[in-house]
């Protein structure tokens, strides 16, 4: 389907453009312009750097559901996802790599969230106990994205070792951990080892996949685990199944041109910020599968 009309009668991209112009966060507005309208990469980087702290990490609600001025591990993952869309920036990566050891545990990985998150409003899942231990989510995705960029740094060596050690015994996990692990397995250089890990984790990925296209609530359809046809997990889903879910994804575009989120945000403003991320991801997935 090529940029078919959405419920408002506009083409899909025209409607999305209207959403970003009227309601979108500035970062995703520039990303949309860059990815779909040949806009300048520099504008995306300027918007991203507004979230960078003096220490070189990212904070200030780059991941919108927590508003802490202290860098959280998930913010670093979000920054790297932006760089995956634009192409890596040497200065940003160098400062981020030098920053990551400051939020790394002695285990060699990043916690899911740091107790410093408590300085600002946040969704309940961002609460944590003091001194949290390292977690595959988001260590695996941070390490995987850095591998994608060809980065070299002592922190990355330790993080990759931490992830592999955890994966040796992992057979079941929550969907967010699996999403992070799939980023790692998709980009880590040890390809035979990655393929073996995927085979072992395939039942867990499928078990966390909402195979019903009409499933309600906070669910993870096949395209969440395989956002492009070349994703490592793409082999887990047949074409008919993926097609039905992509049909549903197209239908979910709303009257204002954006896509909805499937959870309760902490404020209307945060909901719009996260809708910006979800809308951009929907467009990228539809384009990757030839639907846009």
């Amino acid at each position: 389907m090529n940029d078919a009309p959405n419920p408002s009668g506009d083409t899909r991209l025209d409607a999305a453009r209207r959403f970003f112009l009227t309601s979108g966060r500035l970062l995703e507005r520039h990303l949309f312009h860059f990815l779909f309208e040949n806009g300048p990469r520099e504008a995306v980087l300027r918007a991203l750097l507004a979230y960078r702290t003096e220490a070189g990490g990212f904070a200030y609600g780059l991941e919108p559901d927590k508003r802490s001025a202290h860098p959280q591990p998930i913010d670093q993952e979000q920054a790297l996802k932006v760089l995956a869309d634009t192409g890596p920036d040497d200065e940003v990566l160098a400062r981020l790599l030098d920053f990551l050891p400051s939020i790394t545990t002695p285990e060699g990985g990043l916690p899911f969230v740091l107790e410093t998150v408590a300085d600002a409003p946040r969704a309940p899942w961002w609460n944590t106990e003091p001194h949290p231990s390292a977690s595959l989510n988001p260590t695996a995705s941070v390490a995987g994205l850095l591998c994608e960029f060809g980065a070299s740094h002592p922190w990355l060596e330790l993080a990759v070792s931490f992830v592999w050690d955890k994966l040796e015994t992992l057979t079941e996990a929550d969907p967010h951990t699996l999403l992070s692990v799939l980023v790692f397995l998709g980009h880590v250089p040890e390809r035979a080892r990655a393929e073996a890990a995927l085979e072992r984790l395939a039942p867990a990925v499928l078990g966390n996949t909402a195979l019903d296209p009409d499933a309600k609530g906070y669910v993870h359809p096949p395209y969440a685990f395989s956002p492009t046809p070349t994703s490592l997990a793409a082999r887990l889903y047949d074409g008919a199944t993926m097609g039905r879910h992509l049909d549903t994804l197209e239908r979910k575009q709303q009257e204002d041109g954006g896509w909805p989120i499937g959870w309760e945000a902490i404020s209307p403003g945060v909901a719009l910020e996260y809708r910006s991320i979800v809308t951009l991801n929907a467009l990228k997935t539809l384009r990757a599968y030839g639907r846009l």
Side-chain angles (χ1 to χ4, degrees), residues 43-62:
V44 180
L45 290 177
R46 285 195 300 271
L48 175 63
L49 291 178
Y51 294 90
R52 189 166 70 176
T53 68
E54 292 183 3
F58 291 84
Y60 308 120
L62 181 56

Side-chain angles (χ1 to χ4, degrees), residues 76-194:
Q76 318 321 307
E77 179 196 46
Q78 292 294 315
L80 291 171
K81 287 181 176 180
V82 173
L83 295 180
D85 282 335
T86 64
D89 180 88
D90 290 342
E91 187 271 341
V92 174
L93 285 178
R95 290 197 61 190
L96 180 56
L97 280 162
D98 287 342
F99 167 78
L100 286 172
S102 71
I103 58 171
T104 298
T105 74
E107 304 157 277
L110 301 168
F112 172 62
V113 63
L114 302 170
E115 55 191 292
T116 53
V117 76
D119 74 331
R122 60 206 174 277
W125 49 86
W126 290 118
N127 293 324
T128 186
E129 298 296 324
H131 312 296
S133 59
S135 170
L136 281 171
N137 175 22
T139 307
S141 49
V142 169
L145 289 164
L146 289 168
C147 287
E148 178 185 2
F149 301 152
S152 177
H153 192 276
W155 182 88
L156 181 57
E157 295 176 12
L158 289 173
V160 167
S161 178
F162 167 81
V163 174
W164 279 131
D165 286 346
K166 290 290 187 182
L167 288 181
E168 288 296 330
T169 57
L170 186 72
T171 56
E172 295 182 2
D174 64 272
H176 289 283
T177 295
L178 292 170
L179 287 168
S180 189
V181 166
L182 286 171
V183 174
F184 177 82
L185 296 178
H187 299 295
V188 73
E190 297 95 327
R191 298 315 308 153
R193 196 174 183 184

Side-chain angles (χ1 to χ4, degrees), residues 250-267:
E250 289 179 328
R251 291 195 296 270
K252 284 184 176 179
Q253 188 175 22
Q254 298 189 317
E255 195 73 25
D256 65 0
W259 270 258
I261 59 174
W263 64 96
E264 190 72 28
I266 63 174
S267 74

